[in-house]
Amino acid sequence: PVALSFRRLDDYLACPLRYRYLHLLGVDAILPPDPRVNFGHAVHRAVAFALERKMAGVSPTVDETMEVFRAAWRSAGHLSPEHEIARREQGEAALRAFHEREIAAGPVPAAVEHPFRLPLGDVLLTGRIDRVDEDAAGTMLVDYKTAEVDEEERAGQRAQEDLQLSVYALAWRAMTGRIPER
């Protein structure tokens, strides 16, 4: 079967030639690093660390979360030293807000980085669900994004149209037999 992830699907939908170059020919290995990818990866690692610790019953400190962020950070690809500093500070501010909202006061997740492998005919859909919450209202699947959204209404609209959340919901239904409520 052809192994597909959300990233591969998204690349194919954006441009089949891009999919071919990146995922079949491996051209991405010779491209310069993308600071947006670095930013998202470093924030994502720190968020996963903090949530995993919270699930284990040990809430991490902000400093511990920042250590994970800084360890995952890569300098390559930024436009200038000033650009890198600004992006790193933006990530740190986002993580402080996340820590206050999700770690200090938010619910304990049911799962973090929940893997899935979903056979769909001759395609194997793979990935990891960023976060799963279970409460009286049902199951909520969360996909953390680092892109900025100014309006709450626009964020809700983007979530409804998000391919990655749709893939998560499909995988969740296949794994559990239930469609997530949120």
Side-chain angles (χ1 to χ4, degrees), residues 7-19:
R7 174 59 37 223
R8 288 174 174 236
L9 281 171
D10 192 50
D11 285 342
Y12 184 83
L13 291 172
C15 176
L17 193 57
R18 177 165 116 189
Y19 171 87

Side-chain angles (χ1 to χ4, degrees), residues 6 24-25 70 79 89 98 111 138 143 146 151 176:
F6 161 74
L24 299 179
L25 301 177
R70 291 179 189 123
L79 304 175
E89 288 174 353
F98 163 81
D143 176 35
T146 53
E151 302 168 20
T176 66

Side-chain angles (χ1 to χ4, degrees), residues 49-66:
F49 163 80
L51 291 173
E52 287 166 353
R53 296 280 296 182
K54 184 170 183 166
M55 281 178 53
V58 183
S59 290
T61 66
V62 173
D63 288 340
E64 289 171 325
T65 303
M66 291 303 171

Side-chain angles (χ1 to χ4, degrees), residues 97-133:
F98 163 81
H99 215 277
E100 185 176 312
R101 182 182 67 247
E102 303 283 335
I103 302 304
V108 175
V112 175
E113 295 293 321
H114 189 75
F116 61 87
R117 294 175 57 83
L118 177 60
L120 299 169
D122 62 349
V123 171
L124 180 62
L125 187 60
T126 64
R128 293 179 179 273
I129 300 171
D130 289 355
R131 176 180 177 153
V132 179
D133 284 349

